[in-house]
Amino acid sequence: MPRVSSALIKASICGLLLFFSATRSVAFTIPIFDLPKDLHLCGERVPLERPDVWEQLDQAFISSIYNTSQVILWIKRANRYFPYVEKRLKERSLPDDLKYVLVVESSFKTYAISSAKAVGPWQFVLPTAKKYGLRVDAWIDERYNFEKATEAALNYLSDLYQMYGNWSLAIAAYNCGEHKVSDRVKLQQTTSFYDTDLPLETEAYIFRILAAKIILTHPEAYGYRVPVHKKYPVQTFDEVEINLSHKTPVVLIARAAGTTYKMVKEMNPEILKDELPPGTFKLRIPKGKGLQFHDKLSQELTSNKLRK
């Protein structure tokens, strides 16, 4: 082992001390960002000239913009889920900003469950889910199905807009319920969200949606530069319809689709059990497996009967 002179060791130590001394003298500065001068939600102007409105938005923005892991995941997941939501909003002539409700409701998480037992990416409680046509029983919970839950959410938001005549109150009602918002509006004789005293969580909810819009519209302006190849890609699949006369194990469906039980469950998160009941179902299976699926499923079902 080569010997190191004491002079060299001392010089190295002195160099390190000088380096750390110099770097300690340079203070790390946390960036402080300005809010936009002009802001709209679903085409409705946000009155930022009001100190109370500006301050609530500022607090929501600060809470979000410095939560770096959350924002990075928003950006990555938005690449997967926004295209479908944007397409449906455009087809239905609804405001594009409604997509930010999804961000604040669940951060795009399929299996999100709240303390109030709201479920899925759009966070439906059971009565509202059933009211808007989502199947929820011991076998199937369509609140976990992104496409079906999206359609139900847009139907619900559309109805709320018809009820209040403006989107900010409609979105507030999506959070705390139309009965609560209607009671507050009637009591206080207001027509604007910004003039209505609502539950604190609901007031914060609207400003969190605005903060998400600000950040995700121009993430690079706040230092978030996520390369395209690091964002989560849009999922592709074949969709097949099956008509089952008997309870059918999911594992047989997986074999027919040339995949695994786990993959079938992940592609169809609304399936709650290890088997499907009799009935007709539309299922997502891996891309390219749809053409031969029905023949292979018939073979699997026949083999399963013979084994029994």
Side-chain angles (χ1 to χ4, degrees), residues 156-171:
Y156 186 25
L157 285 162
S158 297
D159 287 350
L160 291 170
Y161 178 73
Q162 293 300 317
M163 189 179 298
Y164 299 109
N166 70 71
W167 283 109
S168 52
L169 280 176
I171 294 169

Side-chain angles (χ1 to χ4, degrees), residues 88-139:
R88 290 301 297 133
L89 289 169
K90 185 176 181 179
E91 289 171 347
R92 297 185 53 160
S93 299
L94 293 171
D96 187 71
D97 283 353
L98 292 178
K99 66 189 180 187
Y100 299 111
V101 174
L102 173 64
V103 179
V104 172
E105 282 292 341
S106 67
S107 293
F108 306 98
K109 291 183 287 187
T110 299
Y111 298 102
I113 301 177
S114 76
S115 58
K117 297 184 179 179
V119 169
W122 288 94
Q123 291 288 276
F124 274 100
V125 293
L126 183 59
T128 310
K130 291 192 171 184
K131 178 180 178 181
Y132 283 90
L134 294 175
R135 177 177 174 177
V136 183
D137 56 34
W139 298 93

Side-chain angles (χ1 to χ4, degrees), residues 70 83 100 137 146 153 174 176 197 208 218 236:
Q70 173 185 265
Y100 299 111
D137 56 34
F146 183 74
Y174 189 93
C176 68
D197 183 38
R208 288 168 61 206
H218 298 293
T236 58

Side-chain angles (χ1 to χ4, degrees), residues 198-243:
L198 291 166
L200 293 178
E201 179 186 345
T202 301
E203 291 189 10
Y205 176 78
I206 294 291
F207 290 103
R208 288 168 61 206
I209 288 170
L210 288 166
K213 175 182 177 177
I214 294 168
I215 295 166
L216 291 177
T217 301
H218 298 293
E220 298 84 3
Y222 308 105
Y224 292 95
R225 295 176 176 83
V226 181
V228 173
H229 70 277
K230 291 190 176 181
K231 296 177 181 178
Y232 301 149
V234 174
Q235 294 173 318
T236 58
F237 50 82
D238 285 348
E239 188 172 75
V240 295
E241 183 172 290
I242 56 174
N243 190 357

Side-chain angles (χ1 to χ4, degrees), residues 143-298:
R143 292 177 291 180
Y144 293 113
N145 181 297
F146 183 74
E147 290 80 10
K148 290 183 178 180
T150 296
E151 210 61 33
L154 300 188
N155 288 338
Y156 186 25
L157 285 162
S158 297
D159 287 350
L160 291 170
Y161 178 73
Q162 293 300 317
M163 189 179 298
Y164 299 109
N166 70 71
W167 283 109
S168 52
L169 280 176
I171 294 169
Y174 189 93
N175 175 255
C176 68
E178 59 265 36
H179 299 301
K180 187 167 290 186
V181 170
S182 295
D183 288 346
R184 295 292 180 97
V185 166
K186 183 178 179 181
L187 173 68
Q188 299 167 39
Q189 300 182 16
T190 57
T191 57
S192 166
F193 163 79
Y194 302 101
D195 293 326
T196 307
D197 183 38
L198 291 166
L200 293 178
E201 179 186 345
T202 301
E203 291 189 10
Y205 176 78
I206 294 291
F207 290 103
R208 288 168 61 206
I209 288 170
L210 288 166
K213 175 182 177 177
I214 294 168
I215 295 166
L216 291 177
T217 301
H218 298 293
E220 298 84 3
Y222 308 105
Y224 292 95
R225 295 176 176 83
V226 181
V228 173
H229 70 277
K230 291 190 176 181
K231 296 177 181 178
Y232 301 149
V234 174
Q235 294 173 318
T236 58
F237 50 82
D238 285 348
E239 188 172 75
V240 295
E241 183 172 290
I242 56 174
N243 190 357
L244 303 175
S245 56
H246 303 284
K247 288 191 291 187
T248 302
V250 172
V251 70
L252 296 186
I253 295 169
R255 286 178 190 165
T259 187
T260 62
Y261 168 98
K262 181 178 181 180
M263 184 59 67
V264 170
K265 295 276 279 191
E266 287 184 354
M267 296 185 78
N268 303 274
E270 65 272 22
I271 300 175
L272 299 180
K273 294 193 173 184
D274 297 333
E275 52 189 6
L276 283 173
T280 300
F281 302 92
K282 285 186 177 180
L283 300 178
R284 293 173 294 278
I285 62 174
K287 190 74 174 175
K289 301 296 184 178
L291 288 176
Q292 297 180 324
F293 172 78
H294 289 94
D295 289 341
K296 290 190 175 182
L297 181 60
S298 295

